[in-house]
Structures are given as C-alpha cells and as structure tokens.
Amino acid sequence: MKKFLFVLLTILFLVSSVNAHFLVLIPEYDVIEKGRKSVTLEAKFTHPMEGGPHMEFNIAESAFFVKGEKYTLNWQKKLIPSTKGSLKKVSMYTGSITINKPGIYRIFVNSSPYFESSEGKYIQQMAKVIISALGIEEGWDEPIGLKVEIIPLVKPFGLWEGNTFKGRVLIDGKPAKNIEVEVEYMNTKGIKPPVESLITQVVKTDENGYFEYTIPWAGWWGFSAVTEQGSIKGPDNKEYPLEIDGVIWVKAYPKPKEVR
Ligand SMILES: [Cu+2]
C-alpha cells in the first residue's frame, strides 16, 4: 500500500512545475532601525517567480546567531492553499525574533529532505537571511556552518536595485567550483515573464566558488546553490540521489525616483 501510494504520488507530481523550488526565508525588514523591538519572519517552500504552487515541507532545524551566540527560533505552522483557491493545503511557518541587542542576526532554516517525484530525487534546502540591527554592520560574512552555504561578499542588506550581488558557495566549509546557482525574484507583483527561461536565472561558480549576479529590480531575491550529496533510501527500498541546496535571500530597494 505504501509503495502504491508512492508510485501514485510520483505520477501526480510529474505534472507539477519543473522550475526551481526555493525555501523562502524572508524577514519583515532587512535593516532594523532604532525603536523597533522585533522582526517577524516567514518560511515557505515555493516557486517564487511563479508565485506557486507552494509545497509541503517540514523544518528540520532552525536557529539564529547574534554575536557568536546561538538562539532557538520558534515557528508557528500555518496551512495555506497550494495555489490560489486550491483545496490542497500545505504548510508554511511564521516566526518572530526579539531584537534585544544591536548586532548582525544570521538566521537559518533547514528543511527535511522530501521526495521530488518530478526529478526522481530527494531534495533538502538550507536557507539563510542576514539582517542588521541597530547600526551594527560587521560580521555578515561569517559562515553559519551549514552543509551547503552561500557566503555573501557584498553586504547582504541595504542593497539598491541594480547592485551586483556576489557570493561564494561552500560545501562542508570548502569553496565549491562549477556549481549552478539558481536565481529567482520573490514575485509579489504578479509579473509574468515573457519566456519560461526567465523564471529561473542561473549563474555558475568559478574555480574558487565565487558567483555574481546583478539584481535587475527591487524586491527580495533568492540564490540557491544546487548540489548533489550522496543518496537516500526511498520507501521502495531503492536509493535516490539527495540534492542539498544552500539558499540566501537578499532585498534590493527601489532606485529613488529622483534618479530614475
Ligand atoms: Cu517545487
């Protein structure tokens, strides 16, 4: 029965989107200014540029770091329709962090591996976002220590649209060459790209693990370093590849109207 369900789900999911899945981790603010005492966060698993469908996921691990200390992050699970008006409900999560000291807040969420039938493999994502609170701007390039992680080489908050984002992909702490980094806009404006190829843009890391991308317009942008990391046994006892993706989210502010 379990095996039958697995095959059935495989067939059902084959018709779902082929574009990039992203673990979205977006805070209310990228820069916390004086007077603000907390920041809310959202985590969902989706296809950001297409606005969905949202996918089911579980949080395997999540925490944040400030000044070298690790803090737990509590998430509330919420059910949302997979697509607008759909009867199929999936999980998303909301959380909040109390800002009780100035610092760089490095936040991460690791999802549990799930079977992506359209690709015949397991996928796990490790997403992070870095925010600056109360005037502190040092320490944003410190690794969290995730298995697959993007280290920013450009201050990952307070960016303008048109700025070039540069990052370095680390696997187990070591620079990873020739890795594809998928780039998507968190599409809150209902933009419809004229060709499918524009949904996910792709840049590759060089010999030393570096990549760069020029952010074309304002909003939240996700970068996902896609890597293969061994395999996992499925419920049918077969081994399936395990993809682990390291994701980072950055916000670009709109160009001021005086200079447009
Ligand atoms: Cu997906």
Side-chain angles (χ1 to χ4, degrees):
M1 187 59 192
K2 217 171 163 189
K3 193 174 169 183
F4 168 74
L5 268 178
F6 189 68
V7 172
L8 183 69
L9 284 174
T10 306
I11 294 163
L12 280 177
F13 277 90
L14 275 174
V15 295
S16 75
S17 172
V18 294
N19 285 297
H21 336 277
F22 270 79
L23 181 51
V24 174
L25 175 60
I26 290 185
E28 193 181 4
Y29 308 100
D30 64 328
V31 177
I32 315 287
E33 303 214 278
K34 219 158 90 192
R36 234 177 257 298
K37 304 230 161 12
S38 70
V39 60
T40 59
L41 299 155
E42 262 189 26
K44 61 176 130 181
F45 193 44
T46 191
H47 306 99
M49 182 54 134
E50 294 164 282
H54 312 310
M55 294 168 291
E56 180 59 32
F57 81 105
N58 285 311
I59 294 177
E61 202 193 343
S62 178
F64 65 97
F65 296 83
V66 194
K67 293 195 190 285
E69 280 189 69
K70 187 177 183 178
Y71 299 86
T72 49
L73 221 173
N74 296 315
W75 293 97
Q76 282 83 49
K77 187 174 178 157
K78 223 166 88 179
L79 289 177
I80 52 166
S82 169
T83 51
K84 212 175 166 200
S86 160
L87 290 176
K88 187 183 162 201
K89 300 277 194 290
V90 298
S91 306
M92 71 159 285
Y93 302 82
T94 57
S96 123
I97 290 177
T98 305
I99 305 295
N100 49 23
K101 58 179 158 194
I104 296 292
Y105 286 63
R106 289 172 298 134
I107 307 155
F108 79 94
V109 171
N110 292 351
S111 64
S112 307
Y114 80 103
F115 189 71
E116 177 55 53
S117 319
S118 69
E119 298 175 48
K121 63 183 173 193
Y122 281 87
I123 298 181
Q124 178 177 29
Q125 294 206 337
M126 303 179 169
K128 73 172 187 181
V129 67
I130 299 159
I131 63 186
S132 157
L134 313 176
I136 302 294
E137 298 227 321
E138 254 104 80
W140 45 260
D141 55 353
E142 262 176 64
I144 287 176
L146 307 174
K147 172 128 185 115
V148 180
E149 183 168 354
I150 294 175
I151 308 300
L153 273 99
V154 170
K155 193 173 77 175
F157 41 81
L159 291 166
W160 292 118
E161 68 180 318
N163 280 168
T164 297
F165 179 73
K166 187 167 179 184
R168 189 179 210 185
V169 176
L170 303 183
I171 300 177
D172 294 318
K174 291 183 203 76
K177 63 174 177 189
N178 210 28
I179 298 288
E180 287 201 348
V181 179
E182 297 181 330
V183 186
E184 283 202 26
Y185 165 64
M186 184 66 205
N187 192 350
T188 51
K189 305 260 184 225
I191 294 167
K192 297 250 183 298
V195 290
E196 202 174 321
S197 187
L198 280 166
I199 295 170
T200 309
Q201 299 209 284
V202 177
V203 289
K204 291 187 87 167
T205 62
D206 68 12
E207 280 300 299
N208 298 306
Y210 295 109
F211 71 89
E212 58 182 44
Y213 178 83
T214 299
I215 299 170
W217 63 78
W220 280 95
W221 288 81
F223 297 85
S224 173
V226 178
T227 78
E228 294 265 299
Q229 305 290 333
S231 64
I232 284 191
K233 195 176 276 183
D236 58 357
N237 259 338
K238 268 198 241 159
E239 291 284 332
Y240 292 94
L242 171 63
E243 174 184 311
I244 301 184
D245 307 329
V247 179
I248 188 170
W249 284 92
V250 299
K251 178 187 170 174
Y253 286 76
K255 206 176 266 185
K257 63 176 187 313
E258 294 87 340
V259 296
R260 266 173 206 244

